[in-house]
């Protein structure tokens, strides 16, 4: 019976002839193939020493940015936490005291800013939501760790160092 | 039986044991390294330069692992299994002639632990004992998978030993001796048995793959069906013994193949070297080169050929190899009759 699409292919299963049935030629052919691979250039990237280049839009670890004067841009508006689908971001806001203008750009800042890297899915929504251009996912790939609390990144790990 | 003789043999035995253990150790590394190369990877390269300390790291790891003996396992047999496996793997080296005699300190030192006149039979006996390690271990584990592996291993070894023995008979018809030393001596220069017995060698080699439980015949430890096979319940160094015994077996069967079919310690141009000691030492080196090439071949095949299905294994053993071996005997007999070897 013809199939409706007429695209059916009937596979032939030919009986193997004697030469094929003794398998040895096929095994020798296989051996020659593996031998070719033996001398091929290896594609391995020796990871900790060599690193593969990230693409332009690669999303890695977060960093909290500073402005041109070295003051933290984040104003603890909470939009990143709100946009976060994994609910990985928590923060506590605080008011800037007089004399701290060089530390924080706005009058309100995040005294605690934590991202749980075990929850984070690196979607980049926080980056998109941020009105102050304070958070970017431009870091390295997330590190491994032995304990769960090593993965809760506070401001000590997130805020980018002051460039002199 | 003087004291020098005992010392000489003790040194020889320790040296051979040490060499076979070191070779087995580094075969584990070579296996992983070459597996990497065959798959376009680089293999282990972290422990030491080019990963050369990897076997040591593996050993330390295995020694420090927790030793688990399952509650329902027969403790005595459970321990006996890997020990027997290791023991039988090690004692086969006793009859292999590693080289010609050395003349040192006015003595004629034979590079063979025991030149017994039934060398080939001894090897066969010990190799068939080797399966007991797997069988006892698999049975004592009290685990269905282990038991299945043990049964498989036993039937596989029985089936392939027949073909192996038959392929050897053709060789013995030519050489007229069972002593491995005499067989080696007869192949001096390039007069290797492989040129007279290509079919016999092929059968023998396939069977030794089966006897050492290497791929494509590694059904006893078939991960996809039997978890870990006979060593499913084993941990720590008892597991290490099983794995190690396999590599020693590989070394031993390479040595036997080299000495039976590839001229043993003989190499072309041997008679040209006047100093017998130098000639003998080059012979030892030639023998080890042949062994290492065979080990490489074992590894090469492992990363090329997929595993047989169990019925295919049995079919190959009983319906192909045994008839072929018998035909080989007939051909050899005819050859001896018409050409007088």
């Amino acid at each position: 019976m013809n199939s409706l699409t007429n695209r059916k292919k009937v596979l032939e299963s030919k009986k193997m002839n004697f030469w094929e049935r003794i398998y040895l030629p096929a095994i020798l052919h296989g051996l020659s193939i593996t031998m070719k691979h033996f001398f091929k250039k290896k594609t391995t990237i020796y990871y900790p020493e060599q690193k593969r280049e990230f693409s332009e839009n690669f999303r890695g670890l977060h960093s909290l940015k500073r402005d041109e004067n070295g003051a933290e841009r984040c104003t603890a508006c909470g939009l990143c936490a709100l946009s976060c689908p994994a609910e990985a971001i928590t923060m506590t806001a605080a008011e800037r005291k007089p004399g701290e203008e060089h530390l924080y750009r706005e009058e309100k800042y995040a005294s605690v800013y934590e991202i749980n890297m075990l929850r984070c899915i690196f979607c980049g929504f926080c980056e998109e939501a941020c009105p102050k251009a304070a958070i970017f996912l431009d870091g390295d790939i997330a590190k491994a760790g032995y304990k769960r609390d090593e993965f809760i990144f506070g401001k000590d790990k997130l805020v980018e160092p002051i460039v002199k | 039986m003087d004291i020098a003789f005992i010392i000489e043999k003790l040194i020889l035995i320790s040296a051979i044991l040490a060499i076979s253990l070191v070779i087995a150790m580094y075969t584990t590394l070579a296996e992983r390294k070459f597996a990497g190369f065959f798959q376009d990877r680089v293999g282990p390269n972290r422990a030491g330069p080019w990963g050369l300390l990897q076997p040591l790291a593996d050993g330390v790891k295995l020694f420090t692992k927790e030793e688990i003996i399952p509650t329902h396992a027969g403790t005595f047999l459970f321990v006996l299994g890997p020990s027997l496996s290791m023991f039988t793997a090690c004692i086969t080296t006793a009859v292999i002639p590693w080289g010609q005699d050395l003349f040192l300190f006015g003595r004629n030192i034979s590079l063979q632990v025991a030149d017994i006149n039934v060398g080939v039979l001894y090897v066969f006996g010990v190799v068939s004992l080797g399966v007991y390690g797997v069988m006892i271990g698999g049975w004592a584990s009290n685990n269905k998978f282990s038991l299945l592996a043990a049964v498989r291993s036993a039937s596989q070894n029985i089936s392939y030993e027949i073909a192996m023995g038959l392929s050897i008979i053709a060789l013995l018809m030519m050489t007229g001796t069972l002593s491995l030393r005499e067989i080696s001596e007869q192949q001096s220069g390039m007069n290797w048995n492989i040129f007279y017995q290509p079919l016999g060698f092929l059968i023998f080699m396939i069977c030794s793959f089966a006897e050492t439980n290497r791929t494509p015949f590694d059904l006893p430890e078939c991960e996809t069906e039997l978890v870990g096979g006979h060593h499913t319940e084993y941990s720590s160094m008892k597991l290490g013994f099983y794995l190690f015994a396999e590599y020693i077996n590989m070394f031993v069967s390479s040595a036997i193949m080299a000495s039976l079919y590839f001229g043993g310690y003989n190499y072309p141009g041997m008679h040209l070297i006047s100093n017998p000691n130098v000639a003998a030492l080059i012979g030892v080196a030639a023998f080890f080169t042949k062994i290492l090439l065979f080990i490489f071949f074992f590894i090469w095949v492992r990363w090329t050929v997929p595993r047989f299905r169990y019925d295919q294994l049995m079919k190959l053993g009983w319906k192909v190899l045994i008839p072929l071996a018998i035909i080989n005997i007939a051909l050899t007999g005819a050859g001896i009759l018409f050409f007088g070897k």
Side-chain angles (χ1 to χ4, degrees):
Chain A
M1 195 183 120
N2 274 336
S3 62
L4 287 173
T5 54
N6 231 4
R7 278 185 301 194
K8 186 168 78 178
K9 263 188 191 164
V10 181
L11 288 177
E12 269 183 274
S13 58
K14 271 189 292 181
K15 262 197 112 180
M16 286 193 289
N17 62 30
F18 177 75
W19 188 244
E20 286 166 334
R21 263 194 305 150
I22 56 174
Y23 288 119
L24 286 175
I27 288 175
L28 288 179
H29 182 59
L31 285 172
S32 73
I33 289 175
T34 42
M35 203 24 114
K36 257 182 237 152
H37 281 269
F38 191 83
F39 293 110
K40 243 187 183 171
K41 200 174 169 296
K42 311 303 173 206
T43 47
T44 308
I45 293 169
Y46 296 77
Y47 168 61
E49 295 93 36
Q50 288 176 15
K51 271 188 186 165
R52 201 170 173 156
E53 269 182 43
F54 293 139
S55 72
E56 286 282 302
N57 54 356
F58 175 79
R59 294 192 292 264
L61 287 178
H62 315 65
S63 67
L64 290 173
K65 298 291 175 195
R66 294 175 188 276
D67 66 2
E68 52 281 2
N69 302 322
E72 284 175 26
R73 286 169 165 274
C74 179
T75 180
C77 63
L79 283 175
C80 50
L82 199 66
S83 68
C84 183
E87 298 186 1
I89 303 177
T90 55
M91 67 183 73
T92 312
E95 197 180 341
R96 183 179 67 186
K97 300 272 172 348
E100 286 180 338
E101 285 83 1
H102 64 289
L103 288 176
Y104 312 110
R105 200 171 68 160
E106 313 287 338
E107 280 146 28
K108 192 177 136 208
Y109 73 96
S111 61
V112 178
Y113 191 104
E114 284 180 342
I115 302 179
N116 186 342
M117 290 300 169
L118 292 172
R119 297 198 66 121
C120 177
I121 57 172
F122 299 92
C123 61
F125 281 8
C126 45
E127 185 180 291
E128 279 177 38
C130 186
K132 299 285 181 189
I135 188 163
F136 285 99
L137 274 72
D138 54 359
D140 207 346
I141 51 171
K143 294 265 186 317
Y146 288 102
K147 291 191 182 123
R148 287 183 158 257
D149 38 338
E150 287 172 25
F151 287 99
I152 295 171
F153 282 27
K155 279 182 80 174
D156 53 325
K157 287 178 184 164
L158 292 171
V159 179
E160 65 170 8
I162 301 167
V163 259
K164 287 276 144 66
Chain B
M1 182 72 69
D2 54 342
I3 197 91
F5 176 79
I6 294 173
I7 292 172
E8 170 199 317
K9 286 296 176 199
L10 270 181
I11 292 173
L12 187 66
I13 290 170
S14 336
I16 288 172
L17 196 62
I19 288 172
S20 50
L21 289 181
V22 167
I23 286 190
M25 237 169 93
Y26 276 92
T27 313
T28 60
L29 174 67
E31 171 116 82
R32 295 171 61 186
K33 206 78 188 156
F34 292 160
F37 292 164
F38 283 126
Q39 298 167 357
D40 296 343
R41 297 183 285 116
V42 286
N45 63 347
R46 294 286 146 178
W50 305 290
L52 280 179
L53 298 178
Q54 187 69 43
L56 241 100
D58 288 342
V60 169
K61 187 202 88 172
L62 280 172
F63 267 115
T64 49
K65 285 255 169 177
E66 187 189 353
E67 188 126 358
I68 301 167
I69 296 181
T71 327
H72 295 288
T75 315
F76 177 69
L77 290 181
F78 192 76
V79 179
L80 185 69
S83 325
L84 199 64
S85 223
M86 193 72 178
F87 176 68
T88 49
C90 288
I91 59 173
T92 329
T93 47
V95 292
I96 294 168
W98 302 98
Q100 284 175 311
D101 293 358
L102 287 176
F103 297 98
L104 287 178
F105 317 115
R107 291 175 51 83
N108 198 353
I109 296 170
S110 153
L111 286 183
Q112 185 182 19
V113 175
D115 180 18
I116 49 178
N117 55 4
V118 288
V120 177
L121 286 186
Y122 170 84
V123 170
F124 269 71
V126 173
V127 165
S128 8
L129 270 181
V131 74
Y132 279 97
V134 175
M135 263 173 76
I136 289 175
W139 189 66
S141 298
N142 203 356
N143 173 321
K144 292 182 188 71
F145 293 121
S146 305
L147 182 64
L148 266 176
V151 171
R152 275 185 180 190
S153 169
S155 52
Q156 175 178 322
N157 272 38
I158 289 168
S159 331
Y160 279 78
E161 235 153 58
I162 298 170
M164 201 179 203
L166 288 174
S167 71
I168 280 291
I169 285 176
L171 184 77
L172 299 181
M173 279 160 68
M174 272 176 52
T175 56
T177 174
L178 280 166
S179 155
L180 280 167
R181 162 142 298 226
E182 280 175 41
I183 292 175
S184 292
E185 272 164 10
Q186 283 173 8
Q187 307 177 65
S188 68
M190 277 304 277
N191 192 25
W192 297 354
N193 284 330
I194 175 74
F195 302 121
Y196 305 102
Q197 288 286 338
L199 184 61
F201 169 68
L202 188 69
I203 297 165
F204 188 84
M205 193 179 64
I206 293 173
C207 294
S208 40
F209 271 83
E211 296 277 311
T212 47
N213 289 336
R214 294 285 299 180
T215 326
F217 305 102
D218 61 343
L219 287 135
E221 47 183 311
C222 167
E223 314 79 20
T224 42
E225 296 162 20
L226 297 178
V227 194
H230 56 276
H231 52 63
T232 306
E233 298 285 357
Y234 282 90
S235 61
S236 182
M237 209 48 208
K238 291 208 279 295
L239 170 68
F241 265 28
Y242 268 130
L243 304 182
F244 216 64
E246 181 186 322
Y247 287 96
I248 297 178
N249 276 329
M250 229 164 96
F251 169 65
V252 169
S253 55
S254 300
I256 288 167
M257 275 195 282
S259 54
L260 285 181
Y261 289 96
F262 278 81
Y265 48 75
N266 294 296
Y267 52 96
M270 189 172 197
H271 57 279
L272 298 175
I273 297 164
S274 51
N275 189 336
N277 278 348
V278 175
L281 286 178
I282 297 177
V284 174
F287 190 45
F288 274 96
T289 314
K290 288 170 193 172
I291 292 174
L292 294 182
L293 284 175
F294 269 115
I295 290 178
F296 176 75
F297 186 70
F298 268 97
I299 296 171
W300 185 11
V301 168
R302 169 159 183 193
W303 299 104
T304 303
V305 184
R307 185 182 292 126
F308 275 103
R309 214 170 52 210
Y310 193 67
D311 61 313
Q312 292 171 331
L313 173 98
M314 282 295 154
K315 202 173 150 193
L316 178 71
W318 289 96
K319 289 165 105 177
V320 179
L321 288 180
I322 291 176
L324 262 186
I326 293 171
I327 291 169
N328 188 38
I329 291 175
L331 285 178
T332 312
I336 291 172
L337 183 65
F338 292 118
F339 305 110
K341 153 127 190 185

